[in-house]
Amino acid sequence: MVLQASNYFIMAQRETLVHLFAGGCGGTAGAILTCPLEVVKTRLQSSGVTFRPIYFPQVHLQTINGGSFVRSTPLSPGLLQILKTILEKEGARSLFRGLGPNLVGVAPSRAIYFASYSGAKEHFNTIFEPESKKVHICSAAFAGFSSITATNPIWLVKTRLQLEAKERGQKKMNAVQCVKRVYQMQGFRGFYRGMTASYAGISETIIHFVIYEALKQRLRQERYLTPPGTTHVNQDSWDFLGLMVSAGISKTCASCVAYPHEVIRTRLREEGTKYTSFLRTVRLVAKEEGYTAFYRGLMAQLIRQIPNTATMMVTYELILYMAERV
């Protein structure tokens, strides 16, 4: 009896470590692949981008006495405009601003997330109907809360670095300098700015995993869709393709529904702005820029999220698949 309990504990511990490793690897692979789009998306979400003349065409207006003055058109820039400006003014390396903190944060963040999700799902399966939507919703919410609380300071530093726009030759702040600056200006609490918006973003996580789990279950039920006569290896490849498509569809749906929280979060993480709380930010953005501002950068997000999520989820599932056969 004692031996059985000991074996169960060892197996449970091994499974947790496998989920931690798989989640970390999946998150790292996705972050490296899509970092440039992450930078573009963050710039589009910020308030400062609207007031940076380099991003907009300039209009020369004639005065009464024949002189002229220059006015920048107050239009929101597009994805390609931001991308072009970063390349021209700041250089290609700026498209990977914040990658350091991203890599430092994404592995533990995704590892905590997937391990929490797996553990919570196992627990909630004993309370609710196994593998039901209630189980997936509660598990995703718990995993999101755990991950956000643990890693918010890393994401704040990443956002600050991505928002820093300096031309070629100008010295750019590194992660260590950013940490010191945040602490000097706002203290320890400054590292947790934007966390309320991140908590609101748990809704995106819930939607994503509910749809993903539903599609995954459907794939299992419809295994006969695998082309007849395929070998075991080809069948596994077909299954992973299905998981990749499922991850892309579920994340796209979730991003479209819950995207405004990302804009609010970026505004809250900006340095020295008027955005001091979640509700105040919602009111200010709606009043000053209109409700469409809550979807600035959505196109960059969708283009980024599909390959990012697909890469992350398939890497995660692949490592779990390989671990089961060791």
Side-chain angles (χ1 to χ4, degrees), residues 188-266:
F188 187 72
R189 289 182 63 185
F191 291 104
Y192 287 89
R193 288 192 62 175
M195 194 159 70
T196 51
S198 293
Y199 285 149
I202 291 174
S203 60
E204 178 180 335
T205 302
I206 292 170
I207 295 166
H208 164 50
F209 263 90
V210 168
I211 296 173
Y212 178 70
E213 291 285 1
L215 290 173
K216 210 163 81 168
Q217 284 181 8
R218 184 63 183 269
L219 284 173
R220 285 174 185 157
Q221 293 167 3
E222 305 291 338
R223 286 290 291 250
Y224 63 83
L225 290 178
T226 304
T230 55
T231 64
H232 180 69
V233 174
N234 287 337
Q235 185 173 338
D236 289 336
S237 300
W238 189 268
D239 290 341
F240 280 120
L241 178 62
L243 289 174
M244 184 178 286
V245 172
S246 299
I249 291 172
S250 60
K251 193 62 178 180
T252 300
C253 294
S255 294
C256 290
V257 173
Y259 184 77
H261 91 272
E262 291 216 18
V263 174
I264 296 166
R265 184 176 61 196
T266 297

Side-chain angles (χ1 to χ4, degrees), residues 9 15 19 51 93 112 119 137 140 150 201 213 228 248:
F9 176 76
E15 189 175 341
H19 281 282
F51 306 105
R93 290 183 63 182
I112 292 167
I137 289 171
E213 291 285 1

